[in-house]
């Protein structure tokens, strides 16, 4: 994984022994986790817990910006906890929690709303995109979402935020908000950097390679819970390009469909783009598409099986997210208290 190079300003006490660098990230349980979520950020998280002090959460408050079916939301949050663990996040080595279990997120979110400008929120591409898709429900939460996301991040003073390419703008605005706040009150927040993978950071839809893979287009989206036959069907039907060349070559501008499949195959197998081009030289798309499907089936099989096993043990999952919320709250409340004091709120 390649990280962006621009050093941040530290708000930590420099007299202390240097602690492990910290990372934080979250995923919205607004639909089943999909291959984009997995290949973009999630599959890198288990390596990170060995080196960094990591916090990973279910961004359930964020899902409320779009109407949710309550029972389905609860089920997805629990499934996502199981999937985090099944993907290799050892709860003994990192902190796994549910956003709404740590009230400091909403509390700091409000404060940061007051340090975030209307103009900058209006420029957010995700807001524009979601507002155009949910015209009947362009609510205030959808608009101020980036300030809550900034709160999610800044509460934990992380060095890095591992995300996919589509979240880069939200990490940028988080940095701007932190710098604005620090500019007024001194170094309260560490200003974090986005941490974006080189391969897999923008997985495109299988049936519409011009759009990113997302929960809103199920046929173009492979979820972590999909059965092998469904995964194979989606890959066999994947849109490839109408060029006459019909060879497996990585060229995102000319051949977005095939290039997306190459990216997925590379991320799933660890092979380079050049090796993949050689492997399928002289073969048409007909051989390539099922090969990518099979690689993904094998990649996701252990995750699906382990998730099912974990979901049968609800008390274990509960113990994980309870312990996570406790640890996260301790850290988050410290930052929140500092912020409240700085802005002039009376301590209780
Ligand atoms: P969300 O839930 O849309 O996506 C979760 C993560 O998956 C990445 N991702 C993708 N990566 C590659 N290809 C794709 N097609 C693809 N689709 C999604 C996203 O970039 C993200 O890393 N606002 C966030 C959730 C959030 C958050 C946070 C993240 C809330 N607070 C604090 C980090 C830190 C979101 O909606 O991601």
């Amino acid at each position: 994984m390649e990280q962006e190079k621009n050093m941040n300003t530290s708000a930590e006490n420099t007299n202390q022994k240097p602690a492990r660098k910290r990372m934080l990230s979250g995923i919205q349980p607004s639909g089943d986790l999909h291959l984009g979520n997995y290949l973009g950020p999630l599959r890198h998280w288990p390596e990170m817990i060995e080196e960094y002090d990591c916090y990973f959460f279910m961004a359930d408050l964020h899902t409320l910006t779009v109407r949710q079916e309550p029972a389905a939301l609860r089920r997805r949050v629990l499934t996502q906890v199981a999937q985090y663990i099944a993907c290799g996040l050892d709860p003994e080595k990192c902190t796994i929690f549910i956003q709404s279990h740590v009230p400091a997120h909403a509390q700091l979110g409000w404060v940061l709303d007051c340090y975030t400008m209307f103009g900058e929120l209006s420029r957010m591409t995700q807001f524009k995109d979601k507002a155009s898709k949910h015209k009947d429900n362009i609510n205030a939460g959808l608009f101020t979402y980036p300030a809550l996301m900034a709160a999610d991040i800044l509460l934990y003073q992380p060095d890095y935020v591992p995300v996919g390419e589509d979240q880069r703008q939200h990490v940028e605005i988080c940095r701007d908000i932190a710098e604005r706040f620090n500019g007024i009150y001194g170094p309260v927040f560490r200003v974090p950097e986005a941490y974006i993978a080189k391969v897999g950071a923008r997985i495109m839809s299988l049936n519409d390679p011009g759009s990113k893979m997302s929960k809103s287009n199920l046929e173009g989206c492979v979820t972590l819970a999909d059965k092998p036959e469904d995964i194979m069907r989606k890959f066999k039907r994947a849109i490839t390009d109408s060029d006459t060349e019909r060879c497996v070559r990585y060229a995102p501008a000319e051949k977005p469909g095939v290039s997306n499949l190459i990216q997925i195959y590379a991320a799933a197998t660890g092979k380079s783009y050049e090796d993949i081009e050689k492997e399928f030289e002289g073969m048409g798309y007909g051989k390539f598409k099922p090969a990518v499907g099979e690689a993904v089936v094998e990649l996701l099989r252990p995750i699906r099986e382990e998730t099912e096993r974990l979901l049968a043990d609800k008390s274990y999952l509960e113990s994980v997210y309870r312990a996570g919320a406790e640890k996260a709250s301790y850290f988050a409340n410290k930052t929140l208290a500092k912020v409240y004091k700085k802005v002039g709120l009376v301590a209780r």
Side-chain angles (χ1 to χ4, degrees):
M1 175 171 268
E2 194 190 40
Q3 78 205 38
E4 316 217 294
K5 298 264 179 285
N6 63 40
M7 286 321 294
N8 62 359
T9 46
S10 168
E12 296 282 283
N13 182 345
T14 45
N15 293 330
Q16 280 170 5
K17 197 166 131 246
R20 280 198 303 167
K21 296 231 177 201
R22 194 167 305 127
M23 286 215 163
L24 167 130
S25 200
I27 300 181
Q28 284 196 64
S30 49
D32 291 323
L33 287 189
H34 60 70
L35 200 57
N37 300 136
Y38 183 67
L39 295 181
L42 183 49
R43 81 187 156 117
H44 298 288
W45 294 354
E47 312 148 17
M48 294 170 180
I49 63 178
E50 302 299 333
E51 198 181 334
Y52 300 94
D53 179 20
C54 290
Y55 290 75
F56 298 116
F57 66 99
M58 326 301 132
D60 59 345
L61 292 175
H62 285 274
T63 69
L64 303 182
T65 55
V66 173
R67 292 283 171 266
Q68 303 291 328
E69 208 271 285
L73 176 59
R74 270 190 289 273
R75 180 181 47 72
R76 284 198 306 266
V77 170
L78 210 62
T79 304
Q80 198 171 306
V81 176
Q83 286 174 324
Y84 276 13
I85 303 169
C87 286
L89 294 183
D90 178 349
E92 301 291 322
K93 294 186 178 170
C94 63
T95 306
I96 297 174
F97 66 99
I98 298 170
Q99 183 190 27
S100 61
H101 290 184
V102 182
H105 288 246
Q107 292 168 304
L108 182 62
W110 169 251
V111 176
L112 296 185
D113 274 348
C114 305
Y115 293 81
T116 309
M117 299 303 135
F118 182 89
E120 55 191 350
L121 289 173
S122 313
R123 287 192 290 276
M124 294 292 111
T125 48
Q126 187 167 304
F127 169 70
K128 290 192 249 178
D129 185 44
K130 288 205 173 165
S132 72
K133 284 189 188 137
H134 303 276
K135 284 205 168 64
D136 54 336
N137 185 21
I138 306 177
N139 56 70
L142 196 63
F143 189 63
T144 60
Y145 180 117
L148 179 59
M149 178 160 162
D152 299 336
I153 297 171
L154 298 175
L155 277 174
Y156 300 91
Q157 311 279 5
D159 299 271
Y160 303 113
V161 183
V163 285
E165 185 59 49
D166 65 325
Q167 293 297 317
R168 184 191 290 276
Q169 198 184 30
H170 286 160
V171 178
E172 280 304 315
I173 193 176
C174 167
R175 290 171 56 88
D176 293 343
I177 296 168
E179 275 164 2
R180 178 172 305 134
F181 197 93
N182 287 351
I184 303 170
Y185 301 105
V188 175
F189 296 125
R190 186 187 293 270
V191 183
E193 292 172 44
Y195 202 103
I196 297 177
K198 226 176 170 184
V199 175
R202 193 166 166 78
I203 301 292
M204 309 309 277
S205 163
L206 298 184
N207 65 358
D208 175 15
S211 315
K212 68 168 186 171
M213 183 177 284
S214 90
K215 298 148 192 172
S216 54
N217 168 4
L218 277 181
E219 262 312 291
C221 172
V222 170
T223 78
L224 266 52
D226 276 353
K227 301 219 159 34
E229 56 273 26
D230 295 326
I231 299 177
M232 290 307 293
R233 186 192 71 247
K234 289 177 188 177
F235 275 100
K236 282 183 186 157
R237 287 192 194 156
I239 303 274
T240 35
D241 309 295
S242 53
D243 57 324
T244 46
E245 184 184 70
R246 305 210 53 83
C247 77
V248 176
R249 184 167 63 84
Y250 187 77
E254 297 155 54
K255 295 158 78 84
V258 170
S259 302
N260 186 41
L261 294 178
I262 295 177
Q263 183 188 200
I264 293 173
Y265 193 65
T269 60
K271 293 177 184 172
S272 69
Y273 294 167
E274 298 76 49
D275 287 345
I276 295 168
E277 287 172 356
K278 273 193 209 124
E279 186 179 339
F280 292 93
E281 205 173 330
M283 298 184 213
Y285 299 153
K287 283 242 163 60
F288 182 51
K289 291 201 277 187
V292 184
E294 275 157 28
V296 170
V297 165
E298 290 319 312
L299 181 74
L300 299 186
R301 188 191 302 281
I303 299 172
R304 196 186 66 249
E305 289 172 358
E306 182 62 2
T307 302
E308 282 166 15
R309 196 187 67 74
L310 287 163
L311 279 171
D313 190 353
K314 297 272 187 314
S315 60
Y316 170 68
L317 294 177
E318 202 176 290
S319 71
V320 168
Y321 65 69
R322 280 206 176 148
E326 204 157 309
K327 188 165 167 220
S329 295
Y330 173 77
F331 210 108
N333 287 338
K334 274 197 348 192
T335 305
L336 184 69
K338 204 167 168 185
V339 169
Y340 274 9
K341 189 169 174 198
K342 288 283 184 190
V343 299
L345 303 182
V346 174
R348 200 166 67 170

